[in-house]
Amino acid sequence: MRKVRIGVAGLGRMGRFHAEDIAYRMKDADLTAVCCRSEDRARQMQQELGASYAFSSYEEMLDCEELDAVVICTASEKHCEQVIKAIEAGIHVFCEKPLGLTSKECLTVEEAALENKNIVVQAGFMTRYDMAYRKARGMIAEGRIGRPVYFRSYRMDAVEHIQSSIDFAVRSGGLFFDVAVHDFDLARWMLDDELVSVYAMGGCYRYRAFEATSDCDNGIVTMQFRSGAMGTILSGRTCAHGFRVETEIIGTHGTVYIGEGNGQPIVYLYDERGVDIQFARQFIDRFGAAFLEEKKEFVRCIQEGTSPEVTVYDAVAATKAAEAADESYKTKDYKMLDDWGN
C-alpha cells in the first residue's frame, strides 16, 4: 500500500515533534512537506528531516499535487480556517487541539466535514491513545467501578516552559482552551457521557503577565454530566517538578486512578478486594507513544477509508466546554452547555 504523503503546517515545538514522528517513526507515511511563516525555518526543517518540499505559505502547500494529508500545528486561532481549506482542497487533515476558539467556527468545520465524508478529519486528543487511559476506560465500560459518580483530572505544565506559555497566550485562547480542553474531551470519552454545565475560577497566582489576555496561570472547572455525575478539572502552568497528569474516576462500587510511577503509566483499581496496581516529564515524554498512535490511526483511516475514533463532533464538544469555562471564569457565573454556540 502506498505511503500517505503528509505535510506539517507550523514548526514550533509540537509541529517539529509531529514532523519527526512522520519522518522517522511511521513506516506508512512520508514527510512530504513542511510549512512555516519563516521561510528560513521551513528550509532548515526540510533539510534536517528530509522533507521533499518547504513552504512559507499554507495555501501554496495545499496546492502541492504530491500531498495527501496535512497535520496542522499552527496558532489555535488559525485552525478552523486552515482545516476548512484542507477539506475544500480534498486533503485529509489532522488538527492539533483545540479545533478552534469559538463554537460557531468549530460548527462550520463540522458542517464541512459532514459534507465531505471522503475526507478524514481528526482532532489531536492524544490522551485517548495512551495505554493506561485506554485500560482504565475499559474497566469503567466493564462496570468494574459501578456507576461513575465523580471525574477528577489535573494537568499541570512544567513551570520551566512558562515563558513560551506567556508568549503564546495571545493566540492560544487561554488556559481552558490550551490545557483543560484535553480533559474536557477525556471526561466525555471515559464516562461516555455529555457535559451539561461548567463553572470555572482561577487566577494569576504567580505570573500576572496572563492578566493582559484575561487569562490565568492556574484554574479549576467544576462540571456536571447528563447522567448526573460530577467532575472537576485543575489546569495549571506552574508545576515545579515537571509535567504532570493524573485522572481519577470514582464509581458506586470502586475507583480507577490513572497516573504514573517511575516515569511509566500506571493504573490503580480500588474495589472491595483492595488495590489492584497495573503498570501500563515533559508532556511529550509522558505521551510520546500516544502522539504516535493517534497519527498512525489517521494514516490507517486514510488508507482504509474509515473514520477516526476522535471525530469532529468530539473536537466541537471540547471547544464548547472550553469556551463556556472561559466565559464562566470571566463572568463568575455558571454556564449551561446544551445549546452553547448553536
Side-chain angles (χ1 to χ4, degrees):
M1 189 174 292
R2 181 173 64 80
K3 289 186 176 183
V4 175
R5 300 167 298 183
I6 302 176
V8 176
L11 297 175
R13 183 169 50 155
M14 283 308 306
R16 182 185 178 108
F17 178 75
H18 282 304
E20 289 176 348
D21 262 355
I22 296 164
Y24 304 135
R25 305 178 190 100
M26 297 178 65
K27 62 181 179 64
D28 292 328
D30 178 73
L31 182 64
T32 300
V34 291
C35 179
C36 180
R37 288 180 300 174
S38 166
E39 185 174 350
D40 290 342
R41 172 73 170 167
R43 295 292 183 193
Q44 177 188 353
M45 289 298 99
Q46 177 192 19
Q47 293 176 6
E48 290 185 13
L49 302 178
S52 301
Y53 301 97
F55 297 95
S56 57
S57 164
Y58 177 74
E59 290 74 18
E60 288 182 8
M61 184 174 73
L62 293 183
D63 286 336
C64 177
E65 294 182 356
E66 297 179 32
L67 206 64
D68 299 313
V70 63
V71 172
I72 295 176
C73 304
T74 55
S76 303
E77 61 190 359
K78 297 288 187 181
H79 287 181
C80 284
E81 173 190 350
Q82 292 177 336
V83 170
I84 290 174
K85 285 183 177 180
I87 293 173
E88 291 175 344
I91 293 175
H92 305 287
V93 56
F94 176 99
C95 182
E96 259 301 339
K97 59 79 192 170
L99 178 61
L101 298 182
T102 70
S103 301
K104 184 177 180 180
E105 65 176 354
C106 287
L107 288 169
T108 64
V109 175
E110 184 177 19
E111 182 180 345
L114 290 173
E115 291 176 354
N116 297 270
K117 293 184 178 180
N118 59 316
I119 301 297
V120 176
V121 181
Q122 183 173 337
F125 290 117
M126 82 293 174
T127 312
R128 292 193 185 205
Y129 296 87
D130 178 73
M131 62 179 180
Y133 278 92
R134 295 184 79 85
K135 188 173 193 68
R137 184 175 187 259
M139 292 176 175
I140 296 170
E142 292 167 6
R144 301 279 294 276
I145 66 169
R147 176 186 175 186
V149 173
Y150 175 61
F151 172 95
R152 174 190 70 84
S153 192
Y154 75 78
R155 189 173 303 252
M156 306 293 289
D157 282 344
V159 72
E160 64 192 83
H161 301 299
I162 193 65
Q163 191 56 53
S164 64
S165 295
I166 292 171
D167 294 342
F168 187 55
V170 70
R171 295 179 293 150
S172 73
L175 182 74
F176 303 107
F177 285 97
D178 194 36
V179 181
V181 70
H182 277 296
D183 297 291
F184 291 130
D185 178 70
L186 193 61
R188 293 180 55 254
W189 178 64
M190 294 202 74
L191 271 61
D192 193 20
D193 205 350
E194 295 293 343
L195 294 167
V196 296
S197 68
V198 298
Y199 179 78
M201 52 187 158
C204 296
Y205 298 100
R206 184 171 175 181
Y207 294 95
R208 297 191 62 180
F210 290 106
E211 291 177 351
T213 53
S214 300
D215 197 6
C216 52
D217 58 21
N218 285 270
I220 190 168
V221 181
T222 60
M223 312 175 290
Q224 186 155 41
F225 296 85
R226 188 168 292 165
S227 66
M230 306 168 289
T232 56
I233 292 172
L234 173 65
S235 302
R237 292 164 164 152
T238 60
C239 191
H241 53 275
F243 176 75
R244 188 172 183 181
V245 173
E246 293 185 9
T247 304
E248 182 179 47
I249 299 92
I250 297 174
T252 54
H253 291 76
T255 296
V256 64
Y257 167 87
I258 310 98
E260 61 179 284
N262 296 322
Q264 296 297 315
I266 188 170
V267 176
Y268 290 80
L269 176 67
Y270 303 83
D271 58 21
E272 70 278 1
R273 295 168 297 179
V275 183
D276 181 11
I277 303 175
Q278 303 186 37
F279 279 89
R281 289 199 1 112
Q282 223 262 38
F283 72 95
I284 288 176
D285 296 332
R286 170 62 178 85
F287 288 106
F291 278 114
L292 182 59
E293 285 304 313
E294 67 179 354
K295 289 191 291 295
K296 285 183 177 180
E297 183 184 38
F298 177 57
V299 168
R300 282 194 299 269
C301 289
I302 293 171
Q303 292 178 327
E304 299 171 5
T306 55
S307 299
E309 177 178 322
V310 185
T311 66
V312 175
Y313 175 80
D314 293 319
V316 173
T319 294
K320 283 185 177 182
E323 185 180 27
D326 186 62
E327 184 68 14
S328 173
Y329 169 68
K330 292 172 181 175
T331 63
K332 311 304 179 189
D333 194 12
Y334 283 90
K335 299 299 173 184
M336 306 301 293
L337 291 175
D338 283 351
D339 298 314
W340 192 270
N342 295 327

